[in-house]
Amino acid sequence: MERVPILKLGDILIISIQIDLDDQSVLALQEDLADRVVSAGARGVIIDISAVEIIDSFIGRMFATIAGMCRMLDAETVVVGMRPAVAITLVELGLSLGGVRTALNLEKGVALLDHLGDRGTPR
Amino acid sequence: MERVPILKLGDILIISIQIDLDDQSVLALQEDLADRVVSAGARGVIIDISAVEIIDSFIGRMFATIAGMCRMLDAETVVVGMRPAVAITLVELGLSLGGVRTALNLEKGVALLDHLGDRGTPR
């Protein structure tokens, strides 16, 4: 059980991070995700981190890389479910998520993607 | 990262099993899930097992217990994303999932729950 499963719902892909991510699994996730965004024609990717207790600069960079990659493939990325303690730590350490959008939970993430889709601005 | 996160989308709860479940984490999951079904007023629970490579009788019983528990709380349970190898092993070993409904993937699971909801039969 090393690969993070990618769920598909309509044109949104959902990833729930539950394992400690090392270099290998992050690379695998990015590759799998890029493939799925293309094959599914996804317009949005939601990454749920409600099970994640610690975010360091490594994970932060991963979110930024995924978001940049998805944007190239015409999909928006939203990180949802951040624990309050994680948000506090991120700010205290001066870490950013590289401009990745966040939402409180999965539902609000889906609503955000719907909203972004409605605007239909060229990117 | 011991607890399995429970995602909510509308009146459906989504669980993605990615870790090896032992007795403790199964009990914790069942408790968390029962609480969430009630607090969210959920009508359906979808358990994604696309990351699960091995299902033994212990996991099989867990699905049956969860499904029974959710039915008591007026919610239906659907297991989705079973790998072909897992299905083969289950049949070969003569294991059943205790009459738990299955669907190919998350989308079909949601469709199944919608279909069940539409029938509106008293339970």
Side-chain angles (χ1 to χ4, degrees):
Chain A
M1 298 195 199
E2 300 249 317
R3 299 223 153 192
V4 178
I6 301 171
L7 303 176
K8 176 177 176 292
L9 196 62
D11 46 9
I12 293 177
L13 301 180
I14 302 169
I15 305 167
S16 171
I17 306 280
Q18 297 174 28
I19 56 173
D20 290 318
L21 294 166
D22 55 22
D23 292 31
Q24 283 304 315
S25 46
V26 164
L27 285 178
L29 174 60
Q30 289 174 350
E31 267 181 43
D32 289 351
L33 188 57
D35 285 346
R36 279 300 289 278
V37 167
V38 172
S39 65
R43 70 179 165 86
V45 174
I46 294 180
I47 306 176
D48 176 77
I49 57 169
S50 56
V52 177
E53 287 169 355
I54 297 167
I55 289 189
D56 53 16
S57 56
F58 175 69
I59 304 286
R61 260 201 315 278
M62 179 194 77
F63 291 142
T65 306
I66 286 179
M69 188 186 76
C70 290
R71 203 169 292 122
M72 293 280 178
L73 299 170
D74 199 27
E76 286 291 335
T77 306
V78 182
V79 171
V80 306
M82 188 183 293
R83 296 184 179 205
V86 169
I88 292 170
T89 312
L90 281 177
V91 172
E92 281 182 352
L93 293 179
L95 293 175
S96 85
L97 294 182
V100 177
R101 290 169 199 274
T102 56
L104 193 61
N105 53 39
L106 180 59
E107 284 178 329
K108 288 187 199 289
V110 172
L112 176 58
L113 286 175
D114 284 343
H115 177 70
L116 292 172
D118 286 345
R119 289 194 319 190
T121 46
R123 283 176 282 202
Chain B
M1 298 196 196
E2 300 251 318
R3 298 223 155 193
V4 178
I6 301 171
L7 302 177
K8 175 177 177 291
L9 197 61
D11 47 8
I12 294 176
L13 301 180
I14 302 169
I15 304 168
S16 171
I17 307 280
Q18 296 174 29
I19 55 172
D20 290 319
L21 294 167
D22 54 22
D23 291 30
Q24 284 303 314
S25 47
V26 164
L27 285 178
L29 174 59
Q30 288 173 351
E31 268 181 42
D32 290 351
L33 187 58
D35 285 347
R36 279 299 288 278
V37 167
V38 172
S39 66
R43 71 178 164 85
V45 174
I46 295 181
I47 305 176
D48 175 77
I49 57 168
S50 55
V52 177
E53 286 169 355
I54 298 167
I55 290 188
D56 53 16
S57 56
F58 174 70
I59 303 285
R61 260 201 315 280
M62 178 193 77
F63 291 142
T65 307
I66 286 179
M69 188 185 76
C70 291
R71 202 169 293 121
M72 293 281 177
L73 299 171
D74 199 26
E76 286 292 335
T77 304
V78 182
V79 171
V80 306
M82 187 184 293
R83 296 182 180 209
V86 169
I88 292 170
T89 312
L90 281 177
V91 173
E92 281 181 351
L93 293 179
L95 292 176
S96 86
L97 295 182
V100 177
R101 290 170 200 274
T102 55
L104 194 62
N105 53 39
L106 179 60
E107 285 178 330
K108 288 186 199 292
V110 171
L112 175 58
L113 286 175
D114 284 343
H115 177 71
L116 291 172
D118 287 344
R119 289 195 318 191
T121 47
R123 283 176 285 204

